[in-house]
Amino acid sequence: MTYFMYLFCLIVWGLNFIAVKIQGTPIALEVSLTYRLAMTAVLFILFALFVKRTNKPTASDMPFIVVFGVCNFALSYLCLYYATMLSSAAIVTLIFSLKVILTPIALRLFLKETLHARVWIGGCFGIIGVGVLIVPSLSSIHGLTDLKGVLIALVGTLLTSVGDASSARNAKQRINPVHANAIGFSVASLLMGTIVWFQGTPLTLPTTVTYLSALLYLTVIASFLAWLFYLKLVELVGGAKSGYMVALFPVIGGIASVMIGESTPSLYLLFGCLSSCLGAAIALGIGVSRQRRNAIPDTADKIG
């Protein structure tokens, strides 16, 4: 069962941006994201009713949970949605894997945690991986669009890292993660709903199989079930080992991008994915003894 849950989370989250690409833009991305966040919030609220009501957040915890929800779910998701449309899901997946480097930096800045040299080394490999993919495309007609997508994806990943730091603080306070997610997704959905309202965008729901299946995948499977499985994995094997799957996201995303015809198989794609995987592995400390490794905080609620 442990292997099943691990593979489930690895594949589901590795295909996250592929699903966003398949969902497309039959309606505004803000509206699609609002639907996803609101539905996920309802699922977590209902689930919270069945878990033990221990370590519920207090009033002093609310600002950090709000930051967590806004940065991890609302603004970062919106940036990554737009980046996926402007660029390729493979490139966005590669950039998102840089969170294993950016999150420790955020933890150092906000929580004064130790920043190991391996993070900088892994970061160099990650940047090389992204550069190998994006630089050759700059000479094409779509080069500037790809570059804009890369920059927006980087902003989204930076926001995720800030949310990770806030979540790490919440974990130190032993706040029930189910309650934190229920509140975080609720705040995020309210914020996105407000943005949609200010834009004057009509709330319509496409009824195509492609759109609805992608929406259900992103909501029920990627944002709810995968997170619950990951939470169980953290309990069974620990947060550090569970977090190793992030290192394989670029490979999953790259293969899937080729399979749906979005990317063309090339040495650039192969080297970029492998370099990003290696960078993430180094930053996570894979292969380093437990005594020498400071495990990255359990950030299950920030990946999907």
Side-chain angles (χ1 to χ4, degrees), residues 192-201:
M192 286 308 308
T194 301
I195 292 174
V196 170
W197 182 73
F198 270 109
Q199 290 178 333
T201 308

Side-chain angles (χ1 to χ4, degrees), residues 169-209:
R169 179 268 173 196
N170 296 334
K172 287 185 176 181
Q173 298 298 316
R174 299 188 178 278
I175 297 173
N176 188 307
V178 174
H179 292 149
N181 261 34
I183 297 172
F185 271 107
S186 298
V187 170
S189 61
L190 288 173
L191 175 60
M192 286 308 308
T194 301
I195 292 174
V196 170
W197 182 73
F198 270 109
Q199 290 178 333
T201 308
L203 291 177
T204 57
L205 180 64
T207 56
T208 62
V209 174

Side-chain angles (χ1 to χ4, degrees), residues 64-165:
F64 297 96
I65 296 178
V66 169
V67 169
F68 161 64
V70 169
C71 289
N72 274 87
F73 302 137
L75 299 183
S76 65
Y77 276 16
L78 185 60
C79 287
L80 294 168
Y81 268 47
Y82 269 101
T84 303
M85 297 305 158
L86 291 170
S87 185
S88 71
I91 290 178
V92 175
T93 303
L94 258 67
I95 295 173
F96 187 71
S97 69
L98 292 177
K99 76 186 291 295
V100 300
I101 296 114
L102 297 175
T103 293
I105 294 175
L107 292 172
R108 173 61 181 173
L109 291 175
F110 298 112
L111 299 182
K112 308 303 179 184
E113 292 193 5
T114 302
L115 184 61
H116 294 277
R118 66 171 185 268
V119 173
W120 299 111
I121 298 173
C124 290
F125 280 97
I127 293 171
I128 290 172
V130 174
V132 165
L133 274 186
I134 190 62
V135 170
S137 69
L138 292 179
S139 59
S140 70
I141 191 172
H142 302 295
L144 291 179
T145 301
D146 286 338
L147 182 59
K148 185 185 297 184
V150 167
L151 294 176
I152 294 175
L154 183 58
V155 171
T157 307
L158 286 168
L159 287 169
T160 299
S161 299
V162 173
D164 286 357

Side-chain angles (χ1 to χ4, degrees), residues 118 244 285-294:
R118 66 171 185 268
Y244 289 169
I286 296 178
V288 179
S289 63
R290 181 176 298 182
Q291 289 78 10
R292 295 175 54 199
R293 181 182 64 230
N294 255 352

